[in-house]
Amino acid sequence: MNKISYLSAAALLLSSSIFAQKEEVPKNWHQLDKANTGYYGISIDKAYDFVKGKKLKSKTVVVAVIDSGIDTLHEDLKPILWTNPKEIPGNGKDDDKNGYIDDVHGWNFIGGKDGQNVKEDSYEAARVYHRLKSKFGSVVPDESSVSAADKADLIMYKKAQQKILGNADGQDDHGFEFLALKRVQTNLMASDSILKKAIGKEKFTGTELDAYEATTDDVKKAKFSLLGLMKANDALEQTNAEFMEGLNDYVAGEERKNDAKQNPPKEYRKEIVKDDESNINDRYYGNNDLMASTPFHGTHCSGIIGAVRDNGKGVNGIADNVRIMMVRAVPDGDEHDKDIANAIRYAVNNGAQIISMSFGKDFSPEKQWVDDAVRYAESKGVLLVHAAGNDAKNVDSTDNFPNANFVDGKGRANTWITVGASGDPKNGGITASFSNIGKQEVDVFAPGVQIYSTIPGGNTYGNASGTSMACPVVAGTAAFLLEYFPTLSAKQLKYVIEKTAQAPDIDVKIPGTDELTKLSTLCKTGGIVNAYEAAKLAATLKGERKASKATPVAKAKTVKKKK
């Protein structure tokens, strides 16, 4: 899953660099204007001044967020949730006859009809490796010895085997990192226990810990360890309990990866969802529980897009007249292609005009299903915005799914934007150290470091970093533009956002290194999204969007998953 991680690999290995202090930046730095404030934000207030100066009125835009869930009771999100106008809440009936019972604010494709929900799941590399191992065996055959029909599977198997068992040199780097991770976990659990006794309460925030004056050496050491990692992961607003829960979930995920070397992954999803995963036409599964047990990620992303503006609470979202449709399809682990394909189709069929997708993985065995859904979205004029990933890799040459390239070789999606994460010199640099890059595959950069937004709890807020945060910044910008320029087509939205991306006036670091370069070498546009410049260009265009019509439920060909 291409989401924020509580601890980066460098942090897990206790690199001393994680304790480097970042300057304090405004909580809304990502929305600020560079010329007026010095921060490399998206100039959203300036953009609002521009549309107000033209006396433009907004129209409501529906943004689907395909993610882990959402806090439907949050004070800054509850007013802007999409509500299905044809569904009567809680009556246990499919009032609008769309196949999904009581889908009032969206749908959960990783839940069971009995109310259970998928929380953690396996990783796609492990699923692919063990499925194809039974077909090809432990010793990978030569490509010349297999049929043309099996060649794609064999290539995928080779990649999965290398991912699971080790790198090209036969070294198991992940095994080393996992042992280091377990040591970190043990040390932090001990530090947490020491601090609870010293502070005199079971729960305290990172901010409270920062202000606490330790008086003994063991407490000072414990504070240094826990506080350092909380700061490194922008988690000062979290409690120690929340942070440790995140750490433990992360460790559990890495343990599942480590276990996959020997054992087939547990089928978490199958035991709960109970659909026929091999059949893309079996699509009416899941439940309407959007909060489930993992709403942090989706709640944070949704707030970035559209948390109620100027209500005196928490944060201002980027767009001021949106409705957020949550489509839950992303577990703590890797999402399944079938769920993503159906999530995209559900969003389109229920009126989403923009889809925000902050997830990703290294393998996509049923990419054709996802591609078909993307083509469907494009045919209905829907803009898809996707996070580039957090591995500091070049996705021009390494796999990152889903992506705009169709697996059948017939072109690429024309209403798709891939987003890298930017920061500011005051919080680590213009390019986020974790962000994936790609001159061909990453379209633009957008703020994704220390982004302050809504988090679960009803009235709570906090920072998070990742291309997962940069993606909804772009989706929110697109929603703002469509609100005030409602005749713009999805292709025009993509054009306006990319054409007006602003090149930073300084060189940037190649993520994962100290090497400097121009941003133009790291992404297609060489720029950071800017809402003001985009609005100015949008105002000059003649819109191409066709009048909206009722969207029929899509039909899909029956395709059986390979065994």
Side-chain angles (χ1 to χ4, degrees):
M1 174 181 176
N2 177 16
K3 60 180 180 180
I4 55 168
S5 60
Y6 284 86
L7 301 169
S8 66
L12 294 174
L13 296 176
L14 288 182
S15 166
S16 61
S17 64
I18 67 167
F19 298 105
Q21 295 296 310
K22 297 176 182 177
E23 291 184 38
E24 193 70 28
V25 296
K27 289 179 177 178
N28 67 333
W29 79 265
H30 62 289
Q31 298 185 0
L32 300 179
D33 177 67
K34 170 65 167 55
N36 292 332
T37 70
Y39 291 96
Y40 288 77
I42 65 169
S43 307
I44 189 63
D45 289 339
K46 201 171 180 180
Y48 275 109
D49 289 341
F50 176 77
V51 295
K52 288 175 183 176
K54 287 188 167 292
K55 298 182 180 181
L56 299 177
K57 294 184 179 180
S58 68
K59 291 189 177 181
T60 303
V61 171
V62 178
V63 180
V65 179
I66 300 177
D67 216 294
S68 65
I70 189 172
D71 182 352
T72 57
L73 301 178
H74 199 288
E75 62 180 6
D76 241 354
L77 296 178
K78 190 175 180 179
I80 54 97
L81 294 178
W82 170 77
T83 298
N84 187 340
K86 298 179 181 180
E87 199 72 23
I88 301 172
N91 69 350
K93 297 180 181 180
D94 180 17
D95 300 293
D96 61 356
K97 309 300 181 185
N98 71 349
Y100 304 99
I101 296 172
D102 285 339
D103 58 326
V104 178
H105 300 303
W107 192 249
N108 173 16
F109 281 100
I110 51 174
K113 292 183 178 180
D114 60 358
Q116 293 188 79
N117 294 300
V118 179
K119 181 184 178 184
E120 67 267 14
D121 206 339
S122 56
Y123 292 86
E124 195 69 81
R127 300 195 289 254
V128 168
Y129 171 68
H130 285 283
R131 176 172 64 85
L132 294 181
K133 183 179 180 182
S134 63
K135 179 176 182 178
F136 294 116
S138 298
V139 179
V140 181
D142 186 84
E143 289 183 23
S144 62
S145 66
V146 301
S147 67
D150 285 339
K151 188 173 180 180
D153 273 356
L154 180 57
I155 293 171
M156 187 184 300
Y157 179 50
K158 284 182 178 180
K159 292 180 179 179
Q161 185 184 63
Q162 182 174 319
K163 182 77 174 180
I164 295 298
L165 300 184
N167 60 32
D169 298 324
Q171 297 176 350
D172 182 9
D173 292 337
H174 182 264
F176 168 74
E177 290 184 1
F178 180 68
L179 291 175
L181 168 59
K182 292 291 288 185
R183 288 196 295 271
V184 170
Q185 182 188 33
T186 299
N187 290 338
L188 285 183
M189 289 176 67
S191 295
D192 185 49
S193 179
I194 290 170
L195 290 166
K196 287 176 183 177
K197 293 178 182 178
I199 295 174
K201 56 182 180 180
E202 287 294 304
K203 293 184 179 181
F204 48 85
T205 66
T207 301
E208 290 174 319
L209 178 58
D210 197 12
Y212 174 70
E213 292 290 340
T215 57
T216 64
D217 289 343
D218 62 331
V219 177
K220 289 178 181 178
K221 184 177 179 180
K223 176 182 175 180
F224 176 79
S225 297
L226 182 57
L227 182 62
L229 285 177
M230 292 182 83
K231 284 185 175 181
N233 290 277
D234 299 325
L236 291 183
E237 286 80 15
Q238 291 185 30
T239 66
N240 59 316
E242 291 167 337
F243 186 78
M244 291 305 298
E245 180 183 4
L247 168 65
N248 293 334
D249 285 346
Y250 186 94
V251 173
E254 294 302 298
E255 193 161 17
R256 293 196 296 273
K257 289 181 182 178
N258 204 49
D259 183 66
K261 292 177 175 60
Q262 302 296 330
N263 304 307
K266 181 180 176 181
E267 295 185 288
Y268 296 90
R269 182 190 178 283
K270 182 178 180 179
E271 295 175 3
I272 292 175
V273 179
K274 297 179 181 177
D275 63 321
D276 178 1
E277 195 183 342
S278 69
N279 183 1
I280 188 61
N281 271 350
D282 178 20
R283 65 184 63 223
Y284 302 111
Y285 57 90
N287 63 44
N288 68 346
D289 184 358
L290 301 181
M291 189 176 299
S293 57
T294 55
F296 180 95
H297 195 264
T299 300
H300 199 273
C301 290
S302 297
I304 293 170
I305 294 168
V308 181
R309 290 181 65 84
D310 302 322
N311 63 349
K313 299 177 181 179
V315 299
N316 282 340
I318 292 170
D320 67 342
N321 191 4
V322 294
R323 295 296 178 265
I324 298 294
M325 176 194 299
M326 175 54 61
V327 192
R328 187 171 184 266
V330 185
D332 182 8
D334 278 346
E335 59 278 359
H336 291 249
D337 290 336
K338 179 182 177 182
D339 299 329
I340 298 306
N342 283 330
I344 292 172
R345 288 182 180 275
Y346 175 90
V348 174
N349 287 337
N350 287 280
Q353 296 147 291
I354 298 164
I355 302 178
S356 181
M357 304 182 294
S358 290
F359 54 82
K361 56 185 180 178
D362 297 328
F363 294 83
S364 183
E366 303 299 341
K367 189 177 191 302
Q368 185 63 58
W369 293 352
V370 180
D371 287 352
D372 288 345
V374 170
R375 282 187 168 110
Y376 178 64
E378 183 175 335
S379 75
K380 299 301 180 181
V382 177
L383 180 70
L384 301 107
V385 186
H386 184 246
N390 301 329
D391 301 310
K393 293 180 179 178
N394 189 325
V395 292
D396 288 350
S397 55
T398 58
D399 290 330
N400 183 52
F401 301 104
N403 56 48
N405 300 301
F406 296 131
V407 71
D408 61 10
K410 297 179 180 179
R412 56 187 287 130
N414 292 316
T415 61
W416 180 289
I417 300 176
T418 299
V419 188
S422 63
D424 188 88
K426 297 180 181 66
N427 67 6
I430 296 294
T431 48
S433 61
F434 51 77
S435 181
N436 283 351
I437 58 173
K439 175 66 175 174
Q440 282 77 47
E441 296 302 325
V442 177
D443 295 301
V444 293
F445 272 64
V449 178
Q450 284 183 275
I451 306 301
Y452 192 73
S453 185
T454 48
I455 60 177
N459 60 352
T460 50
Y461 305 83
N463 284 322
S465 297
T467 57
S468 283
M469 284 62 252
C471 172
V473 167
V474 174
T477 301
F480 159 78
L481 293 168
L482 192 55
E483 285 175 19
Y484 289 95
F485 305 97
T487 63
L488 292 182
S489 67
K491 290 181 181 179
Q492 286 179 310
L493 283 174
K494 174 180 168 68
Y495 167 76
V496 165
I497 287 170
E498 295 180 3
K499 183 69 174 178
T500 59
Q502 299 295 290
D505 51 6
I506 57 176
D507 288 347
V508 303
K509 287 184 179 180
I510 299 174
T513 77
D514 288 325
E515 184 179 343
L516 294 176
T517 188
K518 299 292 184 184
L519 189 58
S520 58
T521 69
L522 307 182
C523 73
K524 192 178 298 182
T525 63
I528 299 168
V529 169
N530 188 281
Y532 170 61
E533 295 297 334
K536 287 198 300 180
L537 178 57
T540 69
L541 300 181
K542 181 180 179 181
E544 299 174 350
R545 184 173 292 273
K546 297 178 182 178
S548 60
K549 298 179 180 179
T551 307
V553 175
K555 295 182 179 180
K557 296 179 181 179
T558 300
V559 183
K560 288 290 184 178
K561 188 174 181 181
K562 301 182 184 75
K563 299 295 184 183

